[in-house]
Amino acid sequence: MKVSYSGLAIVPTKPASMNLIIEPGRIHAGDQVIELDAASSICIREAGQRQYNNQLYRIVGEGTASPSGWNGENLRGTAGMPYQRMVPGSLQVYSKDREKRYVPEVDYTQDSYWGSIRRHPQGEIGVGQELSIDYTVWLCRYDAIVLLENGTIQVVEGDSEAPESRELLLPEPPAVKTGFVLAHVFTGWGQSCIYGGGCLIAANSSTSSRSTKTLPVLAGRYEDMVERTYVVEVTAEEGDSQGQYQVRIGATGEDYGTNDIITMDTLRWTEPKRLPHDRKLPLLLQSAYRYPVSWGLELDFSQWGSDANLDLSGEYTVTAYPEMIFDRRPALNGIDPLDIIPLEQRSHLDGFREKIASGTPVRIAFFGASNANSGLWPGQVVRELRQAYPQTAISTSVLAYGGEEMRHGMHRFHREVLPVQPDLIVMEYFINDVCYGNPEETEQAARFILQSIQNAGIPCIVLTNNGANPLFSRNGSSSSFQKYHELYRGLASEYQMAFIGAYAYFSNLHLYGKYFLTELKGNMVNHPYGIIDRNWGVFDRVLSNAILKILGTSGGNDGQ
């Protein structure tokens, strides 16, 4: 049944609140017409908080200052680590018998964003000591806005729980059985009003006198869930550096990991740096983790060219609003992630296809880092291939190590990968290479590996997969991931290896109704599958479907 629509946009109120407005419109579903003849207002319930009391916790690690950062993935809740996204200021730490209450910054350090506690080396908490902790955690939730067949609007609330209680509190959008989903609305982590995204750029009095054509262009997509105002100070360099500028940036809003809210009076500035030669300036938040973080926005001064008479100096402000409303109207007829994922150099795999179809035994080597080692997609691929080719013995070798980058893998290739005599190599190093942050070294290592594979005459699939939380790494911005995605893609083309660009799907999760951080189920850093329930999360299914498709086996549209 073909579905089409007109109108029915869902927009926030002005000023923003927990109310939303559904604009009039209609849906044509086959011969049926469902009409909303007047604007409708609905109220979304706040995601709220949850209190945890008297939780058993064994101290992990040491720290001398808060925020103490991520403590490594582990079980959450009772007998595990605290849940991430604790309400700042809510943590209370006691001895196991609750007789003694410990003092923050004296006995322990903490991190409300990552949900970590570390003993202070000069404090009274011992190594590995068992404690009792109280804390409150922010919840988050997806709601679906649904147009029912009777022309009324319904809010279908999602769950703020995980399928297994020790997983992170990262939700999935709710399953909707009747009606037409117009939007997913994401709320949580202390949000008390709903924004529809967007940014406003302004300049101080000295720059605003210019024509609007000489204001910098705002590019990118804001990926944070906090309203922030970025203040960009551009000053001309002194001396002979004509046309050169120094830049520093401050930003307001929640100071992740601490109990603070940064205001215009308490801005934390980035270190002054030269405006890049291409005059494209990422908007950075100087985090409490002592490195700047990009949430996707960029000021582009390049349209001014090299006009030395046009002074760029001044103060610019950009106010950025979270995108919490994910439009699902374009997906009313379904939307397949494989339609957005590049599958290139398919003919490179012709020999492997012929071999596996002939019944000759084959071995697939999964070569790379943690997602190849412990992710779901390698097993999913092999199971589907065994079903598709029951007459063929399919063996695997998983030659992957968590945390490894391609610069390490190049030294293992000849002694570990070639000896297993694989008929196909699937290579996954994307995330760790990006966070390492040296594209030149990565390219050098990649060329060594790809040339070695080419010399050995082994078919190979080079892939990019999910992205990461930019707060975790100074190199974890979406622009960095996109740069490496293109690097991998270009090298695969040059060496005529098969390429699967699954990052193209991850970077466009908003088109599929999701906020990207909730896809990182395992640790909110870089793993899109659960720790206890490994089947929790759909990204690995999308990736395995992409691999199956490039190999000529069915797969697609899972979870969408």
Side-chain angles (χ1 to χ4, degrees), residues 31-214:
D31 297 330
Q32 186 180 19
V33 178
I34 305 165
E35 186 166 10
L36 186 69
D37 56 7
S40 177
S41 177
I42 56 172
C43 183
I44 301 296
R45 186 174 60 87
E46 291 186 24
Q49 317 173 354
R50 182 173 298 149
Q51 177 71 36
Y52 290 88
N53 293 320
N54 198 16
Q55 300 287 291
L56 179 67
Y57 174 67
R58 186 182 296 275
I59 196 75
V60 176
E62 290 187 353
T64 57
S66 299
S68 48
W70 186 50
N71 238 2
E73 62 182 81
N74 209 323
L75 303 184
R76 297 285 166 167
T78 302
M81 300 176 71
Y83 284 108
Q84 294 176 1
R85 300 311 305 262
M86 289 191 293
V87 176
S90 68
L91 176 67
Q92 306 291 334
V93 178
Y94 299 88
S95 58
K96 185 178 180 181
D97 59 11
R98 307 281 290 189
E99 293 294 321
K100 181 175 180 58
R101 179 174 168 181
Y102 293 105
V103 180
E105 309 311 317
V106 175
D107 297 314
Y108 65 92
T109 60
Q110 60 185 303
D111 192 306
S112 60
Y113 185 89
W114 294 111
S116 62
I117 310 170
R118 301 175 191 252
R119 66 179 290 272
H120 197 292
Q122 276 75 54
E124 295 189 21
I125 298 175
V127 175
Q129 180 178 335
E130 287 189 331
L131 304 168
S132 175
I133 62 173
D134 300 341
Y135 65 96
T136 306
V137 65
W138 292 122
L139 301 177
C140 58
R141 190 184 71 245
Y142 286 99
D143 295 342
I145 312 303
V146 182
L147 178 64
L148 300 177
E149 292 187 357
N150 63 6
T152 61
I153 296 293
Q154 180 184 31
V155 178
V156 178
E157 286 195 356
D159 203 342
S160 55
E161 298 281 353
E164 214 288 344
S165 64
R166 292 166 292 176
E167 303 284 10
L168 297 182
L169 299 174
L170 298 175
E172 283 288 309
V176 176
K177 297 180 179 179
T178 60
F180 301 90
V181 178
L182 304 178
H184 290 157
V185 179
F186 179 76
T187 57
W189 302 322
Q191 293 159 328
S192 58
C193 55
I194 299 172
Y195 295 103
C199 303
L200 297 174
I201 182 171
N204 67 10
S205 56
S206 63
T207 53
S208 62
S209 60
R210 307 179 187 137
S211 72
T212 56
K213 292 183 179 179
T214 59

Side-chain angles (χ1 to χ4, degrees), residues 315-328:
E315 182 179 280
Y316 306 85
T317 61
V318 175
T319 301
Y321 301 98
E323 181 180 355
M324 303 166 67
I325 304 170
F326 298 97
D327 189 359
R328 299 297 288 156

Side-chain angles (χ1 to χ4, degrees), residues 219-401:
R221 183 175 162 273
Y222 186 55
E223 297 168 331
D224 201 359
M225 275 290 158
V226 171
E227 178 189 352
R228 299 190 188 278
T229 295
Y230 291 84
V231 181
V232 182
E233 288 189 356
V234 181
T235 56
E237 286 192 349
E238 297 180 357
D240 297 329
S241 302
Q242 188 176 15
Q244 295 295 323
Y245 295 89
Q246 288 279 337
V247 178
R248 69 171 188 162
I249 307 171
T252 66
E254 182 179 351
D255 190 25
Y256 287 137
T258 75
N259 300 341
D260 300 328
I261 301 294
I262 302 174
T263 68
M264 285 293 192
D265 295 326
T266 60
L267 289 177
R268 182 190 295 126
W269 295 95
T270 61
E271 289 293 322
K273 291 188 176 181
R274 273 191 175 185
L275 184 69
H277 289 298
D278 62 5
R279 295 192 172 186
K280 295 180 179 180
L281 178 70
L283 291 186
L284 300 176
L285 166 69
Q286 187 66 27
S287 73
Y289 303 101
R290 292 168 287 281
Y291 53 78
V293 173
S294 169
W295 287 103
L297 293 177
E298 177 183 84
L299 277 186
D300 186 355
F301 293 86
S302 64
Q303 78 279 7
W304 290 338
S306 57
D307 186 353
N309 296 319
L310 186 59
D311 184 8
L312 277 61
S313 60
E315 182 179 280
Y316 306 85
T317 61
V318 175
T319 301
Y321 301 98
E323 181 180 355
M324 303 166 67
I325 304 170
F326 298 97
D327 189 359
R328 299 297 288 156
R329 293 173 299 165
L332 288 172
N333 290 295
I335 179 170
D336 191 339
L338 299 193
D339 291 340
I340 204 172
I341 296 176
L343 305 175
E344 298 172 348
Q345 289 81 246
R346 300 186 190 203
S347 61
H348 171 69
L349 302 172
D350 287 347
F352 177 79
R353 292 191 198 95
E354 293 172 4
K355 189 170 187 177
I356 196 172
S358 71
T360 304
V362 297
R363 178 172 294 276
I364 302 173
F366 296 96
F367 177 45
S370 60
N371 280 355
N373 180 281
S374 54
L376 294 170
W377 56 272
Q380 291 169 344
V381 167
V382 173
R383 281 194 298 273
E384 293 284 343
L385 289 175
R386 285 172 176 160
Q387 290 179 10
Y389 303 101
Q391 78 283 9
T392 303
I394 302 173
S395 304
T396 63
S397 295
V398 178
L399 306 163
Y401 298 92

